[in-house]
Structure formats: structure tokens, C-alpha cells
Amino acid sequence: MKIIIIKFGGSSLADPDKIRRAAAMTVASRRRGFSPVAVVSAPAESTDDLLSLASLTAGDCIPPRESDALLAAGEQFSAALLAMAIEAEGKKAVSLTGSQAGIRTDNRFSAASVKNVDTRRLKKEIRDGRIPVVAGFQGISAGGDITTLGRGGSDLTAVTLARALGAALTEFRTDVKGIYSAHPAIVPQARKLKNISYQEVIALARLGTDVRQLRAIDYARKYSIPLHLRSSFHDEPGTMVTATGGKPGVSCLSVKKEGVSALVSLIGRGLGAKHTAAAARAAASAGVSAAAEKITSTAISFRASAAEAETLIKALHAVFITG
Ligand code: ASP
Ligand code: MG
């Protein structure tokens, strides 16, 4: 059967109701013909809470090994609770730590790299009809110590397992519905994108919109792992991330405030001089002074004052997206 990796972000696991909803979504993927493997983040703010607990307890003297042992517990909370909630739905599930899921890393605490994945246990659980629920963000070193993969590392767990298990699809379920043509709080007409390319998501992550852990997107690109970024609260489709993405041209806009100035970027495919010129005209007719800074075929950035960034985004959206 086709395997689907469903990764739930921390805000989607913040309380029992949300965990039950995640359980129902995981189980429902079977009706779509998939064999699900869930990957979970720690509930909401719990990683930060654990970090402050560590410094309240030990000040600046936190041994890296113990910090990783502590932080990995956050994801283990989520995994055990989600597995229980799936069992409560009448389906068999098993929570697994990174180590139990066979994720072997080097020994760089707090920023470990995955060396390989021993999938035997996972495959056995799947064969036996259980839904594995894997604690994200963690693995085990050759010396047998718990390691973590860096902040936001559960995304990396998801794509790593997708590759190791040959998954047909990887879903990232979070509290956002997908990637939008612009931030809807700035541009009410912003549209949810059906498709986007890995390169564009990488550009977005660099140029302002904190979409996903960059390492995970880069990994997905390298191994052509299709991603579906979608909501954990609704079943409507989100945004598919693939090598080809959507139509060539501008797909979305991002803004990165840097003190009194802001970097406003057009993100898309096959961008060039004509997009730069059209953007410059749009800025001029909106009365915003904006200087082109960096031009690649995936992103064209303009420097404007922070105060005028929103006006510029609205003008660019009207020309390139709704226009
Ligand atoms: N809980 C970890 C963090 O907050 C890892 C993750 O959420 O992916 O960074
Ligand atoms: Mg998190």
C-alpha cells in the first residue's frame, strides 16, 4: 500500500481536542488508500518552555547531551498522546521515539545530522497493521545518546522518513492552509496557491515568510519528495510543493522587515528583466521609491522603506497576481 507521511506541527497538537482531530485525520488517510505514518512536533510552545526550565534549573551550565535528552521529551509527549487518540478511534497505533524509529544521527547535540534510517521496526509495525506515530526532531547517535536535529527539525524527520520508506506523499498539517500569494493580513485578495516549486519555497523561506525548516525543503527538493502543505483543521486541499510548481511567472510576494527598511520580493519561476521593469513601474505609480537589489530567476527583491512596504506589496499584488 502507498505510504503517506503526515506531519503535525506543534500548534495542531496543543490540546486534547486538537490531538483527537489529528488522530481522526490520520485514520481518514486510510480511506484515501494510504497507509499512514504520523510524525509529530512537541505541543505548541513546549520546546521553549523546556528550554526555559533548563536555564531556570541549571543557568548557563546546561550540558548539550542533557539539553537534547530534555527537548526530545516534548515530541515524545505528542507521539504517545496521538497514538492513544488513534487507539481511541478504534485503530491500532504505536508511538516511537526517533531511536525506536531507527533514525541514526551523528553526535552533534542540538544540530545533529541524520546518517541513516533503519526502517525495520517501522516496516514491521506497518505490516502488523499499526499506525506508527514517530516523535519528530530526534534521533540516536552511534554512542546511544539521544540527539536533536535543530529547531523545527520535525520537518526534517518527516522528509527523511518519506525517503527511507519510499512514501508516495508527505503532508505537513499546520494551522495555516497553505502558501498564499501574499500575507492575507496585508492583502485581503491574496490567493492560496495550488502548486509551487521547491525553489520558490526556499526563496520564500530566505526572503521573509517563515514557511518551513529550510533543511527539510532542501532535502525534499534533492530527493524529489512531493509535499502537501495543508491545514490540520480543514480537509480542503492546501499547496502542493513539487519540482515543477505552478505556471511560470510571479507566484507570490514576500516581505522581510529589516529595521527602517524592508525587502519586498517577487517570487516565481522564470523571472527576469521584464518582471523587474513591471515591478518598478508599479512601485512608481504607487508613489513608492524602491530599488531592485537582487535578481534571480526565482526571486527579485526591492529595497523600500519599512513604512511603504505594505503599499508596495499591494501594488505588486494588483499587477502580478490579481491583474
Ligand atoms: N519542537 C521542536 C522545535 O520547536 C522541533 C519542531 O517543532 O519541529 O523546534
Ligand atoms: Mg515546533
Side-chain angles (χ1 to χ4, degrees):
M1 218 199 308
K2 293 181 297 178
I3 289 179
I4 185 170
I5 307 288
I6 309 178
K7 190 264 170 175
F8 292 99
S11 57
S12 307
L13 300 164
D15 60 48
D17 277 345
K18 289 178 176 162
I19 295 171
R20 282 196 292 271
R21 192 177 305 151
M25 279 181 167
T26 306
V27 168
S29 68
R30 280 196 171 155
R31 293 193 284 279
R32 295 193 278 142
F34 288 108
S35 172
V37 173
V39 173
V40 291
S41 278
E45 312 301 318
S46 58
T47 305
D48 291 328
D49 294 346
L50 290 171
L51 276 171
S52 52
L53 195 56
S55 45
L56 287 172
T57 307
D60 293 335
C61 303
I62 305 167
R65 181 189 181 281
E66 304 314 330
S67 180
D68 277 19
L70 178 71
L71 295 191
E75 271 67 15
Q76 292 170 27
F77 259 78
S78 292
L81 289 167
L82 181 56
M84 286 176 205
I86 294 172
E87 292 267 341
E89 291 251 329
K91 300 288 180 291
K92 292 195 287 178
V94 58
S95 68
L96 298 171
T97 64
S99 165
Q100 290 172 319
I103 298 172
R104 309 230 169 99
T105 71
D106 60 16
N107 61 3
R108 283 179 55 212
F109 295 113
S110 85
S113 295
V114 177
K115 292 282 156 213
N116 57 68
V117 185
D118 177 348
T119 56
R120 281 174 298 179
R121 172 79 186 266
L122 274 170
K123 285 182 174 154
K124 182 181 183 306
E125 299 294 355
I126 295 167
R127 261 198 321 276
D128 291 350
R130 287 190 198 89
I131 298 176
V133 182
V134 180
F137 174 56
Q138 58 185 273
I140 190 153
S141 70
D145 291 319
I146 295 172
T147 54
T148 64
L149 307 177
R151 295 307 304 266
S154 301
D155 285 359
L156 195 59
T157 304
V159 290
T160 299
L161 291 182
R163 175 165 175 245
L165 294 170
L169 185 61
T170 302
E171 282 184 357
F172 283 97
R173 296 269 190 174
T174 66
D175 55 4
V176 297
K177 294 180 180 171
I179 295 180
Y180 280 75
S181 56
H183 199 310
I186 303 175
V187 185
Q189 302 84 344
R191 301 169 179 166
K192 186 169 68 189
L193 307 183
K194 286 198 175 72
N195 297 284
I196 194 166
S197 66
Y198 301 116
Q199 292 296 3
E200 289 165 276
V201 179
I202 289 168
L204 263 176
R206 292 214 175 99
L207 293 168
T209 314
D210 173 26
V211 253
R212 302 248 55 103
Q213 206 215 27
L214 211 49
R215 270 204 299 169
I217 296 291
D218 210 41
Y219 187 95
R221 180 194 58 76
K222 193 162 160 200
Y223 297 108
S224 304
I225 297 166
L227 308 176
H228 189 180
L229 313 183
R230 63 191 304 193
S231 168
S232 54
F233 304 108
H234 309 273
D235 249 329
E236 65 193 64
T239 303
M240 281 297 307
V241 189
T242 58
T244 41
K247 290 197 299 272
V250 176
S251 60
C252 55
L253 307 165
S254 76
V255 61
K256 187 179 187 178
K257 296 227 164 117
E258 293 172 337
V260 293
S261 78
L263 206 57
V264 172
S265 308
L266 307 175
I267 311 283
R269 294 202 301 122
L271 305 185
K274 79 168 199 254
H275 301 94
T276 311
R281 281 195 302 275
S285 56
V288 175
S289 68
E293 258 197 26
K294 193 163 181 252
I295 303 171
T296 71
S297 62
T298 318
I300 301 174
S301 301
F302 290 86
R303 179 73 58 188
S305 76
E308 290 181 323
E310 294 196 0
T311 309
L312 180 56
I313 289 264
K314 287 190 178 111
L316 294 173
H317 197 274
V319 168
F320 290 104
I321 311 289
T322 34

Coordinates of all heavy atoms in Angstrom, one line a residue, residues 100 116 172 282:
Q100 N 13.7 4.5 18.4 CA 12.9 3.4 18.0 C 12.5 3.3 16.6 O 12.3 2.2 16.0 CB 11.6 3.3 18.9 CG 11.9 3.0 20.4 CD 10.7 3.2 21.2 OE1 9.9 4.1 21.1 NE2 10.5 2.3 22.2
N116 N 21.6 7.6 8.8 CA 20.8 6.6 8.0 C 19.6 6.3 8.8 O 19.4 6.7 10.0 CB 21.6 5.4 7.7 CG 22.2 4.7 8.9 OD1 21.5 4.2 9.8 ND2 23.5 4.8 9.1
F172 N 2.2 18.2 5.3 CA 2.5 18.9 6.5 C 1.2 19.6 7.0 O 0.7 20.5 6.3 CB 3.6 20.0 6.2 CG 5.0 19.5 6.1 CD1 5.5 19.1 4.8 CD2 5.7 19.3 7.2 CE1 6.8 18.6 4.7 CE2 7.0 18.7 7.1 CZ 7.5 18.4 5.9
A282 N 5.1 49.6 -11.3 CA 4.0 49.5 -10.3 C 4.4 50.3 -9.0 O 3.6 51.0 -8.4 CB 3.8 48.0 -9.9

